Amino acid sequence: ATLIADRNCSLASLRNACGTQGAKADLAARYPSLACFSTLSPMTGFRAWLEDRAKDDSLPLTDAEERILCGNGASVADAVRRLIAGGEEKPSSLPAADSPLGAVLVALGARYIAGGSQVENPIAQFHLRNGALVARIVAGADRSRRGARRSLGLMANYEYAPGVSRRGQRFRRTHTAEVSAEVSALIHAKL
């Protein structure tokens, strides 16, 4: 079984539960059949990263992703500005996970989170230092105004599966995020 905490599970509440190991031990005692512990966490900093890369024309897009993002022939920077403006005006209009534009955002989110220590996201840093695996990126998971402002609705699913200690030590040493095969395929798509 997998336990997924909703977006209201804050970093502070994890720390107050004696860190991830304490929270995991508490949950394991209460629910002995749990084998994998997961969180669905905000991707703070993603929007700023997206804007910065779009401005200097360094957004890591495949040709197909660029066609989907730009649609009517707009520049990448204009398409990103339009996407952000639409999300700010009406967060419910942000792309859903099953839409082509949602898939592009998920791929960009995977490339953002793969930056490891370069990621301006204290929540990602917390989970990666504690040995979590980036299992998936979810589009449209946070359609609140705050979610639109910080991540265009993207959230990251971190799994605390076997190997937590090894992954945490590796991240602290190499600053490289360990990711699932699904996220890896998005990161390494032919650009």
Side-chain angles (χ1 to χ4, degrees):
T2 299
L3 179 70
I4 299 177
D6 68 18
R7 64 186 161 131
N8 295 320
C9 180
S10 68
L11 184 60
S13 69
L14 287 172
R15 285 189 178 144
N16 290 340
C18 303
T20 55
Q21 296 305 318
K24 189 173 153 185
D26 182 49
L27 289 168
R30 288 188 209 181
Y31 307 98
S33 63
L34 288 177
C36 179
F37 300 86
S38 286
T39 68
L40 187 59
S41 299
M43 289 184 59
T44 57
F46 173 72
R47 177 188 156 175
W49 176 88
L50 185 69
E51 285 179 299
D52 290 347
R53 298 304 175 289
K55 281 180 198 168
D56 68 11
D57 200 29
S58 65
L59 201 58
L61 291 164
T62 66
D63 291 340
E65 291 166 350
E66 187 170 336
R67 281 191 299 277
I68 291 166
L69 178 64
C70 296
N72 63 358
S75 70
V76 170
D78 286 342
V80 168
R81 274 193 295 277
R82 198 170 48 247
L83 180 64
I84 289 169
E88 284 179 344
E89 186 176 314
K90 187 176 178 188
S92 63
S93 72
L94 289 168
D98 60 352
S99 72
L101 191 51
V104 171
L105 282 178
V106 166
L108 289 168
R111 294 173 196 138
Y112 163 74
I113 212 77
S117 65
Q118 285 67 45
V119 174
E120 297 292 324
N121 180 340
I123 297 167
Q125 291 288 318
F126 173 82
H127 289 297
L128 297 169
R129 276 194 315 271
N130 282 292
L133 167 81
V134 182
R136 68 192 52 81
I137 307 298
V138 184
D142 186 355
R143 291 178 176 265
S144 68
R145 289 205 179 277
R146 186 177 184 192
R149 255 191 336 271
R150 62 183 175 187
S151 67
L152 296 177
L154 288 186
M155 294 184 84
N157 175 211
Y158 297 96
E159 285 185 3
Y160 288 87
V164 167
S165 179
R166 176 190 52 78
R167 278 192 302 276
Q169 290 171 2
R170 181 173 174 252
F171 179 78
R172 289 188 295 278
R173 191 176 61 255
T174 66
H175 305 289
T176 302
E178 193 162 327
V179 300
S180 68
E182 175 185 331
V183 173
S184 181
L186 295 168
I187 292 166
H188 301 296
K190 190 165 173 88
L191 301 177

